[in-house]
Amino acid sequence: MASTIGKLVDITFRPGLDRGSTSYASEGTWYDSARVRFRDGYPETARGRTTFVASTSTHIGTPRTITSWAQNDGVANIGLGTESKLYINQTSTYYDITPVRASVASSLTLSTLVNSREINVSITSHGLTTNDYVVFSSMQATVGGNVYLTGNEYQVSVSTANIFNFQYGSSATATSADVGSFNINYLLPSGVSIGTSLRNWSLDNYGEDLLANPSGNRIYWWDRTNGVNVRAVLVTASPSINDVMLVSEEARHVLSFGTIDTDSVYQPLLVRWSAANNFNDWTASIGNAAGSLLIQGGSKIMGALRTKSAILVWTDSTLHALDYVGGNFVFRNRKLGDICGITGLHGMTNANDIVYWMSHANFFYYDGQVKLLECPIQRDVFSRLNSAQDRKIAGFVDTRFSEVGWLIPTSTSECDFAVIHNHNTKAWWWTPLSYSYLHESHMVERIVGAVTNTNQLASHEPPGVFNDDGAAYESFVSSADFDLGEGDEIMFVDRCIPDFVFNSVGTVNMTLTAMRYPNLSGTAKGPYTITSATSKVDFRARGRHATLRLACSTINSSWRAGRLRLNIQPDGKV
């Protein structure tokens, strides 16, 4: 039974986390969280995810970019690029459209060893590196008794400049060394998945088609009319180096950022664009509107984003706007800000034409002016960041909840954490989240996420889903220290009046930890399980201040907190 002389006191916290100081100095705020969001000022369980392709359908590599667009017949396409592959996902099926970089018709030697799956290929100056892919497009006969390679793709391991090998699907039934004429397609060389040489992609639709640019490489074109079983092909007239690529909506110029000039000299601040409505004409001439300009500021272009008013261009230290002006100039460059560069190719996101991005030390937004985005958890976010992998940072937007956020790598080499900002309430929070990229797609009516280490795409936070593909996860929020009274007296707490909204299986575990002095361990009371049937929780706790933790690990459970009240009375000054 609660004390009859106690007083019920509302325990309220501002939405979001605040870690600008110590837990005690941050009174009145939440201090840590996982798998929650703050909506209308109160914390609630964040939804989970569901894989939206068959569990047997996977992609190779880690997607760094996802885009989506609709064909004229209404069919929705999802494009994604990994360090090894380029894919179209259509009607939940993956189609490998990785370009062929070279087709070789050559005499070579295929060697097999009985009861071994390894096939050795001897061919002069093959030019491959380990982890590249090859496709045998024609073969005269079987080798090794049962090995027939035509139409199949293999990932190679390179022994020497003239020898590579790969694993066949079954063991050879005979030892052989067969010499013959074969046609081999060498696919686009595989990139790397870590560090500053990270294989990233710029993807953009060109009408019904897809243009794809692996960073620092050529531009490739997937022609929708050829279908999903035909690979993308090289845009032959495109520059040989393109760090970033996008399509301008005005006159459909294709723009390359960080590219070569007309003398084939790479210039990291150069912007070039193709002729209007022709992505295979990059030579400026009278009437075709192809051209170029040089960005003044920074040392390298890092990213670009198309908005309603302009194309925004980030260097490692500045922000610029490219305005479409037409005529002889086509595009005009305006410098918008200094010391506001970006971490990498996808470190920005756009919410209602206000652009947010993450730099190497701050968050910024652009609403007509470059402004610093105040973040009360900024210091801890950047201290957790694995800066050696910061080019993997990927911005995202969730218009359902008025949120923007960033996927960041922390203790691992892949993104495993998200920092999130509600741009209406200005609240910030973070959560563990294992995606390499999130893409809000109105074509497929969902947020598409590339789940880290599963080689699958998932629907992120679909309605009513509170599990990760059938697995439970913990959602929790914990407060900063809050005084139970004026801070000078020991207070006695003996009851909590909960205020929650649950789904049909919803529960939450509440723990109150009372302390006498800041930064010292206290006495935890709980966890107490609260359901929709719980009217009160009785316990006995003493201290000058306390923390509150709300948590749930029950699969399919959701909870939303409201106004909690504690029954409190003075209990001396000891």
Side-chain angles (χ1 to χ4, degrees):
M1 177 180 293
S3 168
T4 58
I5 62 174
K7 179 181 179 182
L8 283 174
V9 177
D10 279 352
I11 304 299
T12 59
F13 304 96
R14 296 188 298 275
L17 307 185
D18 188 337
R19 298 177 66 92
S21 188
T22 65
S23 179
Y24 186 73
S26 299
E27 183 179 10
T29 69
W30 297 102
Y31 207 66
D32 198 5
S33 66
R35 301 303 290 269
V36 300
R37 68 166 30 85
F38 292 86
R39 187 156 54 144
D40 300 326
Y42 295 98
E44 66 180 25
T45 311
R47 301 169 187 167
R49 68 169 184 257
T50 56
T51 300
F52 68 90
V53 296
S55 60
T56 55
S57 181
T58 60
H59 53 257
I60 295 172
T62 302
R64 300 298 172 198
T65 316
I66 300 173
T67 191
S68 61
W69 73 103
Q71 298 174 177
N72 293 342
D73 58 7
V75 173
N77 292 314
I78 298 173
L80 61 148
T82 77
E83 71 272 15
S84 303
K85 293 289 187 176
L86 178 65
Y87 291 97
I88 294 287
N89 186 287
Q90 192 179 95
T91 60
S92 298
T93 301
Y94 290 105
Y95 298 92
D96 185 349
I97 60 166
T98 308
V100 173
R101 72 166 174 89
S103 295
V104 179
S106 177
S107 176
L108 52 84
T109 302
L110 288 177
S111 300
T112 64
L113 186 66
V114 65
N115 297 326
S116 173
R117 294 173 53 224
E118 183 173 297
I119 311 295
N120 283 282
V121 182
S122 297
I123 180 172
T124 303
S125 301
H126 53 67
L128 297 168
T129 59
T130 295
N131 295 325
D132 283 353
Y133 288 83
V134 299
V135 177
F136 286 78
S137 58
S138 70
M139 182 175 175
Q140 293 176 342
T142 59
V143 296
N146 63 321
V147 175
Y148 188 73
L149 304 176
T150 295
N152 295 319
E153 177 181 291
Y154 303 96
Q155 187 175 28
V156 307
S157 177
V158 171
S159 302
T160 70
N162 301 317
I163 299 174
F164 66 88
N165 61 71
F166 55 86
Q167 299 294 309
Y168 188 61
S170 59
S171 298
T173 59
T175 298
S176 67
D178 295 285
V179 179
S181 179
F182 300 89
N183 290 338
I184 308 177
N185 290 329
Y186 296 163
L187 300 189
L188 182 73
S190 295
V192 298
S193 60
I194 58 173
T196 57
S197 300
L198 174 73
R199 163 67 60 79
N200 219 321
W201 290 81
S202 299
L203 302 178
D204 208 347
N205 68 291
Y206 193 87
E208 296 185 283
D209 302 342
L210 176 68
L211 293 180
N213 164 226
S215 297
N217 210 299
R218 303 295 297 272
I219 297 174
Y220 297 89
W221 168 42
W222 176 73
D223 185 351
R224 179 258 171 183
T225 60
N226 290 333
V228 291
N229 293 309
V230 177
R231 297 179 182 275
V233 297
L234 176 68
V235 177
T236 55
S238 66
S240 60
I241 298 174
N242 308 269
D243 291 336
V244 184
M245 179 275 302
L246 61 73
V247 179
S248 168
E249 291 182 344
E250 296 85 2
R252 291 207 304 177
H253 295 276
V254 178
L255 288 90
S256 172
F257 305 84
T259 184
I260 61 168
D261 60 22
T262 54
D263 294 323
S264 298
V265 176
Y266 170 67
Q267 298 195 44
L269 293 172
L270 181 65
V271 181
R272 289 182 63 185
W273 54 88
S274 71
N277 295 302
N278 186 350
F279 56 74
N280 205 28
D281 182 1
W282 292 75
T283 302
S285 62
I286 296 175
N288 78 348
S292 64
L293 59 81
L294 197 63
I295 296 289
Q296 300 294 326
S299 62
K300 178 180 176 62
I301 294 175
M302 301 295 291
L305 181 70
R306 185 176 54 246
T307 71
K308 292 178 182 177
S309 57
I311 295 172
L312 298 184
V313 183
W314 287 263
T315 72
D316 47 3
S317 64
T318 58
L319 176 65
H320 304 256
L322 290 186
D323 300 312
Y324 180 77
V325 295
N328 293 329
F329 295 100
V330 188
F331 290 98
R332 177 187 63 192
N333 172 41
R334 290 183 292 125
K335 188 177 184 180
L336 301 176
D338 287 301
I339 317 177
C340 59
I342 202 166
T343 52
L345 180 60
H346 301 297
M348 76 293 283
T349 190
N350 187 341
N352 300 321
D353 222 38
I354 297 176
V355 177
Y356 301 81
W357 70 96
M358 187 173 177
S359 76
H360 294 284
N362 292 290
F363 295 92
F364 293 92
Y365 68 102
Y366 176 75
D367 62 358
Q369 292 182 315
V370 175
K371 298 175 182 177
L372 187 68
L373 184 59
E374 298 292 341
C375 176
I377 57 175
Q378 177 173 308
R379 179 175 57 187
D380 284 25
V381 168
F382 282 95
S383 68
R384 293 187 179 202
L385 172 65
N386 180 352
S387 58
Q389 305 296 330
D390 62 5
R391 295 196 179 191
K392 296 177 180 177
I393 293 172
F396 62 91
V397 61
D398 191 335
T399 56
R400 299 171 299 181
F401 304 110
S402 302
E403 294 169 1
V404 296
W406 291 265
L407 302 170
I408 65 174
T410 58
S411 57
T412 67
S413 62
E414 290 299 336
C415 293
D416 56 359
F417 201 71
V419 55
I420 302 170
H421 173 61
N422 185 301
H423 51 80
N424 284 342
T425 66
K426 312 306 179 188
W428 287 83
W429 62 96
W430 59 35
T431 183
L433 203 62
S434 295
Y435 293 107
S436 62
Y437 198 87
L438 282 170
H439 168 69
E440 186 172 63
S441 171
H442 301 292
M443 302 300 109
V444 292
E445 297 182 353
R446 71 189 78 182
I447 295 184
V448 180
V451 184
T452 305
N453 299 323
T454 69
N455 301 108
Q456 291 185 316
L457 297 180
S459 179
H460 173 61
E461 293 205 48
V465 174
F466 295 97
N467 63 76
D468 283 346
D469 277 327
Y473 55 84
E474 183 185 39
S475 61
F476 82 84
V477 63
S478 58
S479 75
D481 296 4
F482 59 94
D483 287 333
L484 293 170
E486 297 301 319
D488 57 339
E489 290 185 301
I490 300 294
M491 305 300 287
F492 175 63
V493 186
D494 60 358
R495 175 171 290 174
C496 173
I497 307 298
D499 181 25
F500 291 91
V501 176
F502 298 102
N503 67 358
S504 60
V505 295
T507 65
V508 70
N509 295 316
M510 183 194 77
T511 303
L512 185 134
T513 302
M515 294 160 281
R516 295 195 174 195
Y517 300 99
N519 302 318
L520 294 182
S521 60
T523 301
K525 299 295 180 177
Y528 301 103
T529 300
I530 298 172
T531 69
S532 58
T534 305
S535 59
K536 62 184 177 65
V537 178
D538 291 328
F539 54 89
R540 300 170 67 86
R542 289 176 172 85
R544 291 185 175 88
H545 55 278
T547 62
L548 181 70
R549 189 177 194 270
L550 307 174
C552 179
S553 299
T554 303
I555 191 168
N556 299 325
S557 174
S558 78
W559 56 268
R560 174 174 166 77
R563 295 173 57 192
L564 277 70
R565 291 176 291 167
L566 298 177
N567 193 67
I568 304 175
Q569 70 178 62
D571 196 39
K573 294 191 175 183
V574 177

